[in-house]
């Protein structure tokens, strides 16, 4: 069992996980900024905490989602943060992201603070990684030691974002295929990382098909609890405002806990992709949902391991990529390139 050490910082108390989950991948290491920007985690965490506690209770879930959507496209290189520019078609306009992913202003605020204290040092990709971990911890979840040293990519891939990111209406087989393509396990990693839906919100348009015309049947998804179905139909009427928000977890929507899995057992998963983990007959994910529902400690332990794996999908290190001065655009003239090789996206 890992032990915890309480450390006082300039803004709040942090829990640092000692042992058990520490891992270095390639040139990534928890000590990467020890000499060049020793307070990087404090700065990122302090800003996330300030926004979370004063203006935006949704920001923690939004920041971890940014990290997830970044890593699943081109690896964890900050590509999701890039705006449209010469040679770059932004991933923000991809179907899974448009009018959906958020938190870019908070990332900008973090980057500005770090550029003031440690100019040209901390990558935007590492900012997303740290912000995701701090967001989980500040919402009641586990903390873990973060391997750092990622560099920022100079290209974006809208097409990849359209096809490689898991979608809320997908079957279990399709979800497994997408996780396998990223080198993640199709059972434990899939279920553990899906557990990030234990906090946050989603728009009605992302699940309304389940409420009225599931897979073209003209009827609701039979795996939805009837009482929960009525609640969602009242919130999201046919022909209503598709941008209305629903809690991903109807019990503790702003806390990181194991209730997501208990909800699945009660057929109260908001997305089809959530409920598939428990309601797909004979699926190997059912036993994992049951075990995480029974033990928050086990869920937290598995979640940390899976987050570390996901955070190390194809990072740029060494002299690859760059350290962006502005997370929204590449340095120089804004033309997308990677070691001199032009790559376009459509």
């Amino acid at each position: 069992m890992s032990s915890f050490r309480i450390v006082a910082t300039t803004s709040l108390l942090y829990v640092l996980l000692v042992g058990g989950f520490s891992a270095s991948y390639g040139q990534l290491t928890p000590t990467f900024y020890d000499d060049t920007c020793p307070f990087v985690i404090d700065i990122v965490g302090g800003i996330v905490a300030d926004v979370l506690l004063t203006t935006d209770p949704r920001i923690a879930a939004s920041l971890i989602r940014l990290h997830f959507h970044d890593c699943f496209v081109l690896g964890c290189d900050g590509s999701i943060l890039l705006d449209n520019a010469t040679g770059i078609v932004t991933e923000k306009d991809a179907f899974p992201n448009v009018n959906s992913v958020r938190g870019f202003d908070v990332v900008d605020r973090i980057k500005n603070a770090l550029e003031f204290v440690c100019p040209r040092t901390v990558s935007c990709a590492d900012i997303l990684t740290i912000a995701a971990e701090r967001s989980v911890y500040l919402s009641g979840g586990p903390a873990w030691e973060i391997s750092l040293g990622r560099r920022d990519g100079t290209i974006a891939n809208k097409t990849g974002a359209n096809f490689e990111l898991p979608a809320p209406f997908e079957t279990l087989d399709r979800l497994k295929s997408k996780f396998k393509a990223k080198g993640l396990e199709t059972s434990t990693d899939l279920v553990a990382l899906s557990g990030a839906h234990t906090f946050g919100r989603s728009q009605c348009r992302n699940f309304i098909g389940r409420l009225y015309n599931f897979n073209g049947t003209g009827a609701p998804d039979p795996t939805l609890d009837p009482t929960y179905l009525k609640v969602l139909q009242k919130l999201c009427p046919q022909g209503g405002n598709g941008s209305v928000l629903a809690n991903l977890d109807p019990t503790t929507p702003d806390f990181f806990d194991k209730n997501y899995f208990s909800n699945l057992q009660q057929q109260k998963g908001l997305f089809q992709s959530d409920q598939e983990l428990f309601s797909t007959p004979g699926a190997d994910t059912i036993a994992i949902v049951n075990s995480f529902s029974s033990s928050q400690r086990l869920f937290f332990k598995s979640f940390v391991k899976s987050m570390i794996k996901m955070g190390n999908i194809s990072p740029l290190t060494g002299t690859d990529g760059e350290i962006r001065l502005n997370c929204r655009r590449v340095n120089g003239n804004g033309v997308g390139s990677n070691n001199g090789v032009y790559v376009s996206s459509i």
Side-chain angles (χ1 to χ4, degrees):
M1 178 177 178
S2 299
S3 59
F4 292 86
R5 178 162 51 96
I6 307 297
V7 180
T9 71
T10 57
S11 56
L12 66 155
L13 291 178
Y14 288 101
V15 177
L16 301 182
L17 200 58
V18 182
F21 300 128
S22 176
S24 294
Y25 288 73
Q27 298 178 50
L28 302 183
T29 171
T31 61
F32 188 84
Y33 296 113
D34 280 8
D35 294 328
T36 57
C37 196
F39 300 110
V40 58
I41 294 177
D42 293 4
I43 293 169
V44 175
I47 292 174
V48 173
D50 178 62
V51 176
L52 181 64
L53 296 174
T54 62
T55 61
D56 188 357
R58 298 171 55 198
I59 195 60
S62 298
L63 289 172
I64 193 173
R65 186 164 180 246
L66 271 182
H67 181 48
F68 185 100
H69 282 221
D70 181 44
C71 291
F72 259 67
V73 181
L74 296 175
C76 306
D77 67 345
S79 61
I80 195 172
L81 303 174
L82 289 171
D83 288 339
N84 284 316
T86 304
I88 294 174
V89 180
T90 181
E91 294 170 17
K92 297 175 184 179
D93 291 337
F95 179 76
N97 296 332
V98 67
N99 296 321
S100 179
V101 288
R102 57 193 298 274
F104 300 107
D105 55 336
V106 178
V107 174
D108 291 341
R109 179 178 166 187
I110 293 169
K111 181 61 174 175
N112 289 339
L114 289 171
E115 284 300 311
F116 181 78
V117 177
C118 318
R120 301 174 181 268
T121 300
V122 180
S123 69
C124 301
D126 273 348
I127 288 174
L128 289 181
T129 307
I130 299 168
E133 186 273 345
R134 289 289 83 192
S135 293
V136 170
Y137 167 64
L138 290 167
S139 300
W144 61 92
E145 194 170 54
I146 313 163
S147 290
L148 300 168
R150 297 165 190 78
R151 289 170 64 85
D152 297 320
T154 55
I155 58 174
N157 188 351
K158 181 182 176 182
T159 300
N162 276 324
F163 291 99
E164 296 173 22
L165 287 168
F169 48 79
E170 288 185 323
T171 64
L172 181 59
D173 284 344
R174 186 62 180 151
L175 295 172
K176 284 176 172 282
S177 175
K178 290 186 174 182
F179 271 66
K180 183 178 180 180
K182 301 302 173 183
L184 298 171
E185 294 176 357
T186 59
S187 52
T188 302
D189 286 338
L190 171 57
V191 178
L193 292 175
S194 296
H197 286 173
T198 191
F199 62 173
R201 316 283 190 273
S202 182
Q203 299 178 22
C204 290
R205 61 170 57 95
N206 292 321
F207 58 87
I208 197 166
R210 300 186 70 205
L211 309 185
Y212 302 100
N213 187 24
F214 181 63
N215 289 343
T217 62
D221 185 343
T223 67
L224 263 173
D225 172 76
T227 301
Y228 186 46
L229 171 63
K230 291 179 180 178
V231 171
L232 293 177
Q233 288 178 329
K234 183 177 180 180
L235 182 69
C236 307
Q238 286 183 296
N241 184 351
S243 63
V244 170
L245 296 173
N247 294 324
L248 286 169
D249 176 354
T251 54
T252 52
D254 295 321
F255 292 93
F256 195 95
D257 53 31
K258 68 180 181 67
N259 287 354
Y260 166 82
F261 301 104
S262 301
N263 295 335
L264 298 186
Q265 292 174 322
Q266 298 169 32
Q267 295 185 302
K268 293 181 179 180
L270 186 64
F271 296 151
Q272 175 186 348
S273 57
D274 292 324
Q275 198 59 51
E276 289 271 336
L277 302 177
F278 185 75
S279 296
T280 301
D284 58 358
T285 53
I286 296 173
I288 302 172
V289 170
N290 289 334
S291 64
F292 288 170
S293 176
S294 298
S295 173
Q296 184 158 282
R297 178 180 174 275
L298 178 60
F299 165 47
F300 282 5
K301 181 178 180 180
S302 297
F303 181 79
V304 166
K305 290 181 178 179
S306 296
M307 281 294 291
I308 290 173
K309 288 174 65 176
M310 187 190 75
N312 290 280
I313 296 175
S314 304
L316 298 173
T317 59
T319 58
D320 291 337
E322 63 182 15
I323 304 299
R324 280 185 224 143
L325 303 182
N326 181 330
C327 291
R328 294 175 181 263
R329 59 177 180 263
V330 300
N331 298 337
N333 62 9
V335 176
S337 63
N338 191 1
N339 295 330
V341 180
Y342 175 79
V343 183
S344 65
S345 59
I346 57 175

